[in-house]
Amino acid sequence: MFSVGDLVVHPMHGAGVIDAIVREKVAGSTQDYYVFKMPVGGLLLKIPTANSQAIGIRSIIQRPEAEALIAAIPSMPVEENSNWNKRYRENMARLKSGDLYEVARVIKGLLYRERRRGLSNGERKMLHSAKQILLSELVLAEDSGYEELEKRVERAMFQSPVSPG
């Protein structure tokens, strides 16, 4: 169970803070809800506390984990699936997983595709959402500015992996 002030992540919306815990009656049943507020964009969600684990709500990563993730981006593989529908479904599953490494892989793949061929509207929206999810958590984990982290992540996305020896 989370407390007011905890920094948490919603897999499809990104990182934010538990602003309050409220009890509300909806459709005849009374439940407790986390009031989840995102600092970037100001989104406010009410998440049933009983469903939070099933939804994938988790604590944000710590600074060393954030640094390790950024360092791992250059060596992440980029998959080249030419079937738009299959690629979209695979990317959506990666985003829903809540795994930041998978979210970073989605971003990297879409950025490379954008540079080579351009993106459809659906993929452009997905890229924007994936960036929001990743950057919102990194900003809180690193206690850093959004623009600065966006530049660091983008540099890492296009950096060649360092070959051993």
Side-chain angles (χ1 to χ4, degrees), residues 18-31:
I18 301 293
D19 206 38
I21 300 173
V22 296
R23 176 164 282 182
E24 290 186 6
K25 189 173 190 172
V26 177
S29 124
T30 302
Q31 287 190 69

Side-chain angles (χ1 to χ4, degrees), residues 1-12:
M1 181 130 176
F2 297 108
S3 303
V4 173
D6 285 353
L7 299 175
V8 298
V9 178
H10 186 291
M12 293 306 292

Side-chain angles (χ1 to χ4, degrees), residues 2 6-18 34-39 43-48 51-61 94-100 103 129-137 140:
F2 297 108
D6 285 353
L7 299 175
V8 298
V9 178
H10 186 291
M12 293 306 292
H13 296 288
V17 64
I18 301 293
Y34 293 122
V35 178
F36 172 80
K37 185 176 184 183
M38 285 190 65
L43 178 70
L44 200 65
L45 293 175
K46 288 186 181 173
I47 304 162
N51 295 2
S52 64
Q53 218 171 2
I55 293 169
I57 305 298
R58 62 172 174 77
S59 295
I60 69 163
I61 61 173
R94 285 188 180 114
L95 291 180
K96 286 181 180 177
S97 76
D99 180 333
L100 272 190
V103 173
S129 294
K131 279 182 173 179
Q132 279 295 122
I133 291 167
L134 179 71
L135 290 171
S136 67
E137 185 163 0
L140 292 177

